[in-house]
Amino acid sequence: MTFNLRQVYAFAREYHQKREAQKDVQYGTAGFRSHADHLDYVMYRMGLLAVLRSRAKGSQVIGVMITASHNPEQDNGVKLIDPMGEMLEQRWEKLATDLVNVSDVDLEAQVAKICADEGIDNNNPAKVYVGMDTRYHSPQLAKAVLNGVAAMKGSVRDFGIVTTPMLHYFVTCSNTDMAYGLPTEEGYMNKLLTAFKNIRGTSFEKGNYVNKVYYDGANGVGSLKMLGFIKKLDGYLDVKVFNSNGKINYNCGADYVKTNQRAPEGMPELEPNARCVSVDGDADRVVYYFTDEEGVFHLLDGDRIATLIAGYLKDLVEKCGVEIEMGLVQTAYANGASTDYIMNQLKVPVACVPTGVKHLHHKALDYDIGVYFEANGHGTIIYSTNAKAKIRAASEDTALTPEQRTAAKLLLRTIDLTNETVGDAISDMLLVETVLHSKGWSLKDWLGTYTDLPNVLMKIKVEDRNVITTTDAERVCVTPAGVQDAINEIVAKYNKGRSFVRPSGTEDVVRVYAEAVTKENTLQLALEVANVVYDKAGGVGPRPELPKI
């Protein structure tokens, strides 16, 4: 294969120019994300980078997902998927940022620099998988990615409209020689549904569990794919899909429900205590909720999902008798009541990491069974090779009791029901339904396991967010001097009080989180800490006011 870098520059100048006035952008946990009109050149360059990354990883498949997740319809974005379904390696995030921000004139030299620094031979094969969500501008942006792959002489497989977790799954399957599954939509669906049906058996209702769930698809790809799942569920789960053909994420979806603490628009008027679930625009987040007989809304978010699944897994591990280290990973935003429940009731170790899925996922790898969920509903379970081997051996060990072998087989099916590569709204929903069915629980039963502490999140505008630096998984403020001491004094006044501050990753604001035993104390605690930030960290605009819950 003859390769000439000049064609990369020529193609960019001809079809995917970067306007000189466009501002620098930064690759973060969510990749690049912006208004769709500003992303054509970004997409082209991420096509280039995906080929370089594939060659750097020994010609393994790299994924490129075009989505803006829970953002409004006018936005879009792009992120790369590493060979085992992980988010892009952090060191390569900087390479992505540098590549996107150079001028067209300097593009050829920047690609050459990456090749030289990373020892990349552009005569080697490269394989890239591409997927996109349902936004109307996604197909055009996908063409820019495909052009970037073509300019670098990479081979590409375009999956069209898929959920983000599906593309993670496809990449992992291909790079494990199909050991993880078949890298097709049919393979993905069959793996999850086979496990789900085998666990559920022929009795669809149990105790307080009713075999009906109302599903808000956020008018995104999650609704489209769930309609496909329903055709194959064969009544094992009765799913009623809503918000499947409107403006993506508009007054609906997991982020809307979590942020506004209310049911989405587009759902019918339901009977009290009806089990409802919302996913986000690319189906990697999920939350549950219901409205009780008094008309009070109740949310069961990622913290609740983590505790539910962790309790179920711990019970199965104990029943099959294998020695496995299990842990649950949270961020500082996890409700303090959930942390207390996990540690003191479930007796499962808890680790706290900085905000961001990549930090949660990385820490979860430290355990044989690592459970992680952000409060927003993004999360999954990771099972180590050691855990899988021990569980499989137990399922076949005739020296164990039939009950122990049955528990081990159930664990193996639960592993197959899990998309270990990334948070997956559909997989996670089926896991939650499995646990609720197993326990015979309604959402009220689930909610009753512990009581959340009232909590609030505020945003304080500042001149420069970088003056705030933190440590200890973002729970302790290092600079400016005196901020953490002031927070400690304030928190000490409130029963079960907790508060921390952290800078935004995208705008000049500082986020203030607070929780306490009563709603009134929580609001007052948040206001006092917000004023400390305003005074000591260069607050701008009006002083903070009493927030609302």
Side-chain angles (χ1 to χ4, degrees):
M1 176 174 64
T2 303
F3 186 82
N4 186 346
L5 271 181
R6 289 191 177 278
Q7 63 198 1
V8 170
Y9 165 68
F11 213 80
R13 290 293 297 170
E14 182 72 22
Y15 301 107
H16 304 288
Q17 289 187 23
K18 177 186 177 185
R19 295 187 295 273
E20 295 302 325
Q22 288 181 308
K23 296 180 179 178
D24 282 1
V25 292
Q26 185 171 351
Y27 193 106
T29 299
F32 294 110
R33 197 173 289 181
S34 182
H35 192 286
D37 291 346
H38 305 151
L39 287 171
D40 180 82
Y41 77 97
V42 173
M43 297 290 177
Y44 174 73
R45 295 174 186 211
M46 286 303 94
L48 304 178
L49 192 73
V51 172
L52 296 175
R53 182 65 174 162
S54 176
R55 288 177 176 141
K57 298 298 287 184
S59 299
Q60 293 186 91
V61 175
I62 298 297
V64 181
M65 185 65 199
I66 299 158
T67 182
S69 188
H70 57 279
N71 278 36
E73 187 175 56
Q74 67 268 21
D75 290 348
N76 217 318
V78 58
K79 52 188 173 184
L80 269 60
I81 300 169
D82 259 357
M84 289 298 105
E86 326 97 307
M87 304 232 175
L88 182 64
E89 181 187 331
Q90 194 163 359
R91 188 172 61 83
W92 273 68
E93 289 182 8
K94 184 179 186 308
L95 299 185
T97 299
D98 292 343
L99 184 64
V100 163
N101 290 323
V102 297
S103 67
D104 287 335
V105 172
D106 294 326
L107 181 60
E108 179 185 335
Q110 187 64 31
V111 172
K113 182 178 186 303
I114 294 172
C115 293
D117 291 348
E118 301 298 323
I120 295 170
D121 182 352
N122 276 312
N123 292 306
N124 288 335
K127 294 172 282 189
V128 179
Y129 285 178
V130 178
M132 63 182 176
D133 69 15
T134 55
R135 294 164 200 269
Y136 65 88
H137 31 68
S138 288
Q140 187 62 39
L141 294 175
K143 288 181 182 178
V145 173
L146 298 177
N147 285 344
V149 175
M152 290 293 295
K153 304 296 185 186
S155 65
V156 67
R157 185 173 177 183
D158 184 2
F159 284 90
I161 295 174
V162 291
T163 69
T164 293
M166 288 170 69
L167 192 66
H168 281 257
Y169 168 86
F170 300 151
V171 169
T172 306
C173 290
S174 294
N175 289 322
T176 56
D177 293 326
M178 318 307 166
Y180 192 66
L182 297 176
T184 64
E185 188 166 333
E186 190 78 6
Y188 166 83
M189 293 175 68
N190 286 343
K191 181 179 180 181
L192 295 185
L193 287 173
T194 299
F196 179 72
K197 291 177 179 179
N198 283 340
I199 296 172
R200 177 154 295 214
T202 56
S203 177
F204 300 160
E205 302 209 349
K206 182 179 179 181
N208 293 329
Y209 179 86
V210 178
N211 188 37
K212 182 182 288 186
V213 61
Y214 296 90
Y215 179 97
D216 159 32
N219 294 317
V221 64
S223 58
L224 182 68
K225 300 308 176 184
M226 181 51 68
L227 290 169
F229 265 86
I230 290 172
K231 294 177 182 178
K232 293 175 173 285
L233 273 166
D234 301 323
Y236 277 74
L237 181 62
D238 185 4
V239 184
K240 306 296 184 186
V241 176
F242 300 92
N243 291 327
S244 61
N245 195 29
K247 187 180 289 188
I248 192 169
N249 296 320
Y250 183 70
N251 291 341
C252 60
D255 193 59
Y256 174 86
V257 172
K258 169 70 175 170
T259 302
N260 294 281
Q261 299 283 305
R262 60 186 294 181
E265 295 182 8
M267 295 278 273
E269 189 170 332
L270 302 175
E271 66 272 18
N273 305 315
R275 194 165 69 255
C276 300
V277 60
S278 285
V279 305
D280 65 334
D282 67 334
D284 64 0
R285 296 183 182 187
V286 61
V287 296
Y288 274 75
Y289 51 94
F290 69 98
T291 302
D292 65 22
E293 297 87 348
E294 283 73 46
V296 178
F297 176 85
H298 299 277
L299 176 70
L300 297 108
D301 61 8
D303 293 342
R304 292 278 181 177
I305 294 172
T307 60
L308 180 76
I309 293 175
Y312 174 76
L313 293 174
K314 184 172 188 288
D315 184 54
L316 285 180
V317 168
E318 290 176 347
K319 283 180 178 177
C320 71
V322 294
E323 290 293 326
I324 288 176
E325 184 186 7
M326 183 174 167
L328 197 148
V329 189
Q330 296 183 319
T331 71
Y333 286 111
N335 194 280
S338 73
T339 309
D340 181 73
Y341 176 77
I342 296 159
M343 295 176 64
N344 297 314
Q345 297 296 318
L346 297 181
K347 306 294 184 182
V348 172
V350 176
C352 186
V353 297
T355 305
V357 175
K358 62 188 175 186
H359 301 299
L360 290 148
H361 192 93
H362 181 75
K363 184 62 181 177
L365 292 169
D366 289 349
Y367 302 99
D368 285 321
I369 299 180
V371 181
Y372 73 85
F373 276 85
E374 291 186 295
N376 62 27
H378 190 291
T380 191
I381 306 98
I382 303 174
Y383 302 85
S384 70
T385 302
N386 175 58
K388 291 175 182 176
K390 284 186 175 182
I391 295 166
R392 190 169 300 281
S395 73
E396 300 168 351
D397 188 350
T398 55
L400 299 178
T401 67
E403 291 78 13
Q404 287 175 310
R405 293 199 301 274
T406 297
K409 290 174 182 175
L410 191 52
L411 259 177
L412 289 176
R413 291 171 183 154
T414 304
I415 292 171
D416 280 342
L417 186 54
T418 308
N419 187 347
E420 299 178 64
T421 65
V422 73
D424 183 335
I426 293 176
S427 167
D428 291 339
M429 186 194 88
L430 293 175
L431 280 166
V432 169
E433 295 295 324
T434 294
V435 179
L436 293 177
H437 175 264
S438 170
K439 293 178 176 292
W441 278 4
S442 67
L443 292 191
K444 288 182 76 172
D445 296 323
W446 179 11
L447 187 69
T449 52
Y450 64 87
T451 302
D452 278 320
L453 291 170
N455 60 90
V456 67
L457 182 63
M458 295 181 67
K459 293 199 303 184
I460 312 303
K461 290 184 179 180
V462 294
E463 218 170 279
D464 178 10
R465 67 183 184 275
N466 295 309
V467 301
I468 293 280
T469 60
T470 63
T471 189
D472 189 20
E474 302 176 314
R475 292 176 291 185
V476 175
C477 182
V478 177
T479 62
V483 170
Q484 188 59 49
D485 289 339
I487 293 174
N488 292 343
E489 289 181 15
I490 295 167
V491 166
K493 299 188 297 182
Y494 297 96
N495 186 14
K496 295 187 178 180
R498 184 169 72 94
S499 183
F500 65 91
V501 302
R502 59 178 289 268
S504 165
T506 57
E507 54 185 331
D508 282 323
V509 301
V510 176
R511 305 188 192 280
V512 174
Y513 178 88
E515 65 184 28
V517 76
T518 68
K519 176 179 175 180
E520 293 73 19
N521 283 355
T522 300
L523 296 174
Q524 191 59 41
L525 169 57
L527 180 62
E528 290 188 50
V529 173
N531 275 293
V532 168
V533 171
Y534 187 92
D535 291 335
K536 294 183 178 293
V540 296
R543 292 194 69 85
E545 296 181 352
L546 198 67
K548 297 178 181 179
I549 293 182

